Amino acid sequence: MKRTLGTCYYPEQWPRAIWEDDAARMADLGLTWVRIGEFAWTRLEPTPGELRFDWLDEAIAVLGAAGLRVVLGTPTATPPRWMLTRHPDMLAMDAEGRARRFGSRRHYCFSHPGYLGECRRIVTLLAERYGRNPHVAAWQTDNEYGCHDTAISYSDAARAAFRGWLRRAYPGAGNDGDIAALNRAWGNVFWSMDYAGFDEIDLPNLTVTEPNPAHVLAFRRFSSDQVVAFNRAQVDIIRSLSDAPVSHNYMGRVTEFDHFATGADLDIATWDSYPLGFLEDRVGATPAQQRHYARQGDPDFQAFHHDLYRAVGRAQGAHRQGHGRWWVMEQQPGPVNWAPYNPAPLPGMVRLWTWEAFAHGAEAVCYFRWRQAPFAQEQLHAGMLRPDGVAAQAFHEAEAVAAELADAPDVAQTQAPVALVFDYGSEWMWQIQPHGAGLSYFDLVLAHYRALRRLGLSVDILPPTTRDFAGYALVLAPGLIVVPEDLKSALNACNAQVLIGPRTAARDADFTLPVPLPPDWPGLGVTVSRLESLRPDMPVTLAGGGAVTGWLEQLEGTAPAVLTSEDGAVVAQRAGHVTYMGGWGDAAALHRLLSELCDLAGLETLDLPEGVRVRDTGTERFWFNHAPHPVDTVAGTLPVAGVRRVAI
Ligand code: GAL
């Protein structure tokens, strides 16, 4: 399969007279894909039941006639204003019990049966009309589930659905659940929180002090399942009427629902990559790093999501877990409008971001958006074209990539030597019980990913359901808080060096601290006898370099120590090929620990200069320079925004 390019287009926002010209320019530029329709509900159905599909028929025909392939989005992220008149209680509620209002987008509660019915109706109409259209080559469900904090809702509809979900989670005789089993599992004897029946259970917001973590965890799992069910309802309809692949565009660092679970229902995972916006609002970088990478973006954050969404894409045919189909559906083209600061990318960065996605196995990269809109919320968001239609940065850089693609190899995915497990459930559990301000599972996993990338390693991210680790030399599962026995066995049985901890296997599935104490790992001989969180200004220095920050465990047991603090406390222990790390290592500590594990695993590493990253596809090694200046590497000098592709 060829690597391809595309863009996001809103024909309903532009005069009919320019559609042909737009389509011709897209095709001339070398674009293959054009995504349309995902916000167009009021133009498809201006009043309830008044259907206007002629313009969409025409838009698809115009784009198709130019040789473009259409990705058709379902418009369910933007319910029209009349929908609220029909379903006044369809709005999501925030944790303070306030309804989120009309006037932007994503104003719906995933649990509202009336709105779900409306979504089924519009998706059926679209799939009936376009399911066999030769130009509609792929579908997108909704737009960015969970973006703008929309996956979790404390509405009446959510409460009713949550009670039903709990009944099924704790099944009893007949249709009612087993409330005694729920009370036991949650430990409701504590603070006299026992319930006599499921209809007494509320949502875990507005409690006087913290709610029971088991209650919150159940609600988070429920909220995730609601997103999965909402998506599945659309997918089932589309599949019954169309053979084109179905996708969804995920966002960066949105973790409120289990993307592996939605991904299992879809053909292609796509995501929306805004490197400069993310650096300002979700990477967690220091002000100095934000300044340094202001026009390039964080060197690892996009790559992390590329690898994550490759795993979210459903593995098909010969592909194994961790290697599904995936695209970038929206690539930042220039300055965005929504971050605290919105600088322009350095010249060449849009090209670099595009090649980086291909290096991680993307089939397609589409730029958001074709032309900058002079109206409404995103008027200061760049497009490939300026509002007056003149070509802007992304247009020129996409043109360069299109020329380079002509003699580049096809999409390539190969197993990386290193696997890193990522689990949405662990993210929720850490959020529910961080134990120290700012401690986040996502950040812990990202810190390990960064350390691996600084050593020049390519990484596969794997879901926690993985049991086959064949072919990996190194497997990491830091912070994976629930570890079923068969996963422990699979990790014990594999041939890789395995790194676990801190907080790996620290709770059972009901959020109870297990006895024997964690990690209770067969053959390891390590017990976490106490844990503490550390203030940011009290790092614990390690003998030999590096420090533990934020989280520190006291380890007991027979396994030999491999890291100790300066005052002699054991921080990491190893038995056989399994290493337990009892603290949150800083960059220097992780570098030390992972370098040693790579030596033990026989993995060759690189000592990459700051800002330089490498990715292997199996036939090519890519070098990327994210630094704001040229950098000398063993592969030669990389200019600013430099990309080097070397056959291997
Ligand atoms: C994405 C979204 C697009 C657009 C874009 C702006 O999150 O899917 O519709 O709003 O951000 O950067």
Side-chain angles (χ1 to χ4, degrees):
M1 188 185 294
K2 280 272 166 229
R3 292 160 166 160
T4 46
L5 300 175
T7 192
C8 307
Y9 185 50
Y10 301 91
E12 71 278 18
Q13 298 176 8
W14 304 102
R16 170 66 189 85
I18 68 171
W19 291 1
E20 268 87 4
D21 191 44
D22 278 342
R25 288 177 81 187
M26 291 175 200
D28 286 350
L29 181 57
L31 304 186
T32 300
W33 301 98
V34 55
R35 185 197 61 179
I36 61 172
E38 82 278 12
F39 299 132
W41 202 330
T42 57
R43 287 298 177 274
L44 295 170
E45 192 177 14
T47 62
E50 181 199 344
L51 299 173
R52 298 264 179 86
F53 286 127
D54 339 357
W55 69 268
L56 187 54
D57 296 350
E58 223 179 318
I60 292 172
V62 167
L63 294 164
L68 296 158
R69 311 186 76 196
V70 171
V71 181
L72 185 57
T74 68
T76 52
T78 50
R81 179 62 186 82
W82 54 254
M83 192 70 75
L84 281 175
T85 313
R86 276 176 108 159
H87 304 284
D89 57 350
M90 63 168 280
L91 297 170
M93 293 275 204
D94 72 9
E96 304 298 321
R98 293 172 304 208
R100 309 202 60 184
R101 293 197 182 159
F102 183 83
S104 63
R105 61 179 170 185
R106 303 213 49 75
H107 44 281
Y108 67 86
C109 173
F110 280 96
S111 296
H112 193 271
Y115 184 58
L116 181 59
E118 301 278 5
C119 293
R120 286 204 170 99
R121 186 176 59 79
I122 193 76
V123 172
T124 304
L125 290 166
L126 282 167
E128 280 171 353
R129 194 167 184 103
Y130 303 110
R132 305 281 168 210
N133 186 303
H135 303 307
V136 174
W139 292 85
Q140 174 181 296
T141 54
D142 202 280
N143 190 78
E144 291 183 346
Y145 292 135
C147 193
H148 319 304
D149 294 323
T150 51
I152 297 175
S153 163
Y154 298 88
S155 68
D156 291 349
R159 182 190 303 106
F162 182 48
R163 289 173 179 165
W165 186 93
L166 288 171
R167 283 187 169 90
R168 292 190 295 280
Y170 297 93
N175 276 340
D176 212 11
D178 181 348
I179 198 69
L182 179 146
N183 285 323
R184 261 194 317 277
W186 290 11
N188 281 339
V189 57
F190 193 77
W191 290 355
S192 281
M193 295 180 293
D194 299 276
Y195 298 102
F198 285 83
D199 288 337
E200 292 181 355
I201 304 179
D202 228 317
L203 300 179
N205 60 327
L206 296 171
T207 51
V208 172
T209 183
E210 59 182 306
N212 185 338
H215 183 181
V216 189
L217 179 61
F219 178 61
R220 297 294 301 269
R221 287 178 176 154
F222 154 80
S223 301
S224 174
D225 285 357
Q226 295 302 89
V227 178
V228 175
F230 182 92
N231 181 64
R232 187 176 296 150
Q234 299 202 11
V235 176
D236 286 349
I237 293 166
I238 296 168
R239 285 208 198 292
S240 69
L241 295 161
S242 176
D243 295 329
V246 190
S247 68
H248 176 75
N249 59 333
Y250 302 101
M251 213 349 177
R253 201 172 183 158
V254 164
T255 54
E256 283 73 30
F257 64 97
D258 186 340
H259 294 41
F260 295 120
T262 46
D265 290 328
L266 295 164
D267 300 293
I268 306 173
T270 80
W271 84 286
D272 299 343
S273 179
Y274 291 93
L276 305 191
F278 293 152
L279 180 73
E280 291 290 338
D281 98 335
R282 63 193 75 184
V283 169
T286 63
Q289 287 162 339
Q290 286 176 326
R291 173 65 195 92
H292 189 72
Y293 291 112
R295 296 191 188 282
Q296 310 95 272
D298 181 84
D300 298 305
F301 193 78
Q302 285 64 247
F304 178 84
H305 286 85
H306 294 337
D307 292 338
L308 174 63
Y309 291 130
R310 188 174 65 247
V312 165
R314 189 159 54 89
Q316 293 164 66
H319 289 281
R320 47 182 294 161
Q321 213 156 18
H323 296 87
R325 299 183 62 184
W326 77 277
W327 301 12
V328 170
M329 188 59 90
E330 299 181 14
Q331 175 61 66
Q332 176 166 356
V336 300
N337 62 302
W338 45 263
Y341 302 98
N342 296 293
L346 286 178
M349 282 317 291
V350 177
R351 168 176 171 266
L352 182 149
W353 295 329
T354 308
W355 273 112
E356 187 178 47
F358 289 135
H360 286 256
E363 293 176 3
V365 177
C366 304
Y367 303 92
F368 183 90
R369 50 188 276 155
W370 173 243
R371 185 187 295 101
Q372 182 173 348
F375 40 76
Q377 279 90 332
E378 292 177 354
Q379 37 184 280
L380 295 183
H381 191 299
M384 302 186 87
L385 305 181
R386 305 188 322 205
D388 60 2
V390 173
Q393 175 176 4
F395 186 99
H396 297 299
E397 296 192 16
E399 198 166 35
V401 177
E404 291 163 338
L405 281 175
D407 55 28
D410 285 357
V411 177
Q413 291 197 12
T414 189
Q415 186 176 355
V418 183
L420 176 58
V421 177
F422 184 82
D423 172 36
Y424 288 89
S426 293
E427 166 84 338
W428 308 332
M429 292 173 87
W430 278 71
Q431 285 172 352
I432 294 165
Q433 191 181 66
H435 200 54
L439 295 178
S440 125
Y441 171 75
F442 186 98
D443 287 335
L444 179 74
V445 176
L446 184 61
H448 284 74
Y449 183 80
R450 275 186 201 292
L452 292 166
R453 298 245 304 160
R454 285 181 50 198
L455 290 165
L457 295 163
S458 297
V459 180
D460 284 345
I461 294 185
L462 297 179
T465 47
T466 309
R467 296 295 178 269
D468 176 8
F469 296 97
Y472 292 108
L474 177 59
V475 177
L476 279 55
L480 181 69
I481 206 160
V482 178
V483 184
E485 290 309 312
D486 62 339
L487 178 52
K488 289 181 183 170
S489 312
L491 289 169
N492 272 348
C494 76
N495 290 321
Q497 289 293 321
V498 173
L499 176 64
I500 55 174
R503 235 184 168 181
T504 300
R507 290 293 178 279
D508 71 12
D510 284 308
F511 220 126
T512 299
L513 212 166
V515 178
L517 291 179
D520 189 24
W521 200 279
L524 181 59
V526 173
T527 299
V528 177
S529 54
R530 187 189 75 186
L531 60 88
E532 58 175 332
S533 60
L534 304 172
R535 294 171 49 89
D537 55 2
M538 56 191 291
V540 171
T541 316
L542 299 180
V548 161
T549 58
W551 183 276
L552 183 61
E553 297 172 351
Q554 194 175 59
L555 304 184
E556 274 178 0
T558 51
V562 292
L563 284 179
T564 53
S565 67
E566 264 186 339
D567 49 16
V570 175
V571 173
Q573 288 175 285
R574 178 175 307 132
H577 64 112
V578 180
T579 302
Y580 187 91
M581 173 68 173
W584 187 310
D586 68 1
L590 287 179
H591 185 76
R592 264 180 74 190
L593 186 61
L594 290 170
S595 304
E596 193 205 349
L597 286 170
C598 288
D599 283 349
L600 290 172
L603 277 177
E604 227 178 275
T605 57
L606 296 167
D607 188 10
L608 291 178
E610 174 271 308
V612 173
R613 294 293 185 263
V614 163
R615 176 91 194 357
D616 295 338
T617 65
T619 57
E620 309 149 280
R621 166 161 288 187
F622 284 88
W623 292 77
F624 298 102
N625 180 17
H626 299 262
H629 45 72
V631 181
D632 292 328
T633 73
V634 291
T637 302
L638 290 174
V640 172
V643 177
R644 181 143 309 147
R645 185 160 55 91
V646 190
I648 52 175

